[in-house]
Amino acid sequence: MQFANVLRKRRKELHLTQQQLADKLHVTRQTLSRWENNLSYPNLDTLVNLSEFLAVPLDILLKGDGNLMVNKISQDVRDKDKYKRYLMIVSAIFILIFLWLSVLGYGRASQNEWIDRFNPFGKFYN
């Protein structure tokens, strides 16, 4: 059984509304509705809280048919790592550009000819 079906079935067995369960999990009712309609999945810490509150083992929530949730969570983790790597590369490029411009600015301010020789903007000021 899929995560959405297990969640909906167990919530109804406990005679809880979506709002009541959402309040217990500290999420919005719309978020819970998206989970029950298989439009999104909870993050891992919320999934653990959900498992404890509904008294449903995590492996039943996670495995389901086709392991869709496990695949989705795994993909999210991989995407997060990929974006983190991109952010590090872009940050390094900005830092290098800042350092290069700082060196050029220092060379121009101190009239250091050796540094000024590499300044592509300095030629316009002479």
Side-chain angles (χ1 to χ4, degrees), residues 36-49:
E36 287 187 358
N37 291 313
N38 230 7
L39 298 175
S40 68
Y41 298 105
N43 57 28
L44 287 176
D45 55 337
T46 305
L47 191 62
V48 170
N49 291 339

Side-chain angles (χ1 to χ4, degrees), residues 80-122:
K80 182 179 177 184
D81 289 342
K82 181 173 61 174
Y83 293 134
K84 185 177 180 183
R85 199 172 314 124
Y86 290 153
L87 179 63
M88 295 298 290
I89 291 169
V90 169
S91 298
I93 290 170
F94 278 122
I95 289 171
L96 289 174
I97 290 171
F98 176 76
L99 289 174
W100 178 249
L101 291 176
S102 297
V103 167
L104 293 179
Y106 170 76
R108 187 70 183 149
S110 65
Q111 297 296 312
N112 185 328
E113 288 184 29
W114 187 83
I115 295 175
D116 247 1
R117 190 176 348 181
F118 300 103
N119 190 345
F121 307 110

Side-chain angles (χ1 to χ4, degrees), residues 7 22 27-37 40-42:
L7 176 59
V27 297
T28 63
R29 186 202 57 77
Q30 291 83 359
T31 299
L32 190 65
S33 176
R34 284 193 300 269
W35 297 345
E36 287 187 358
N37 291 313
S40 68
Y41 298 105

Side-chain angles (χ1 to χ4, degrees), residues 23-72:
D23 291 342
K24 298 281 185 188
L25 298 172
H26 306 292
V27 297
T28 63
R29 186 202 57 77
Q30 291 83 359
T31 299
L32 190 65
S33 176
R34 284 193 300 269
W35 297 345
E36 287 187 358
N37 291 313
N38 230 7
L39 298 175
S40 68
Y41 298 105
N43 57 28
L44 287 176
D45 55 337
T46 305
L47 191 62
V48 170
N49 291 339
L50 188 62
S51 169
E52 290 172 358
F53 185 76
L54 297 178
V56 175
L58 263 176
D59 61 329
I60 291 175
L61 287 177
L62 286 172
K63 290 182 181 174
D65 291 337
N67 294 330
L68 293 176
M69 184 174 1
V70 173
N71 293 338
K72 173 72 170 130

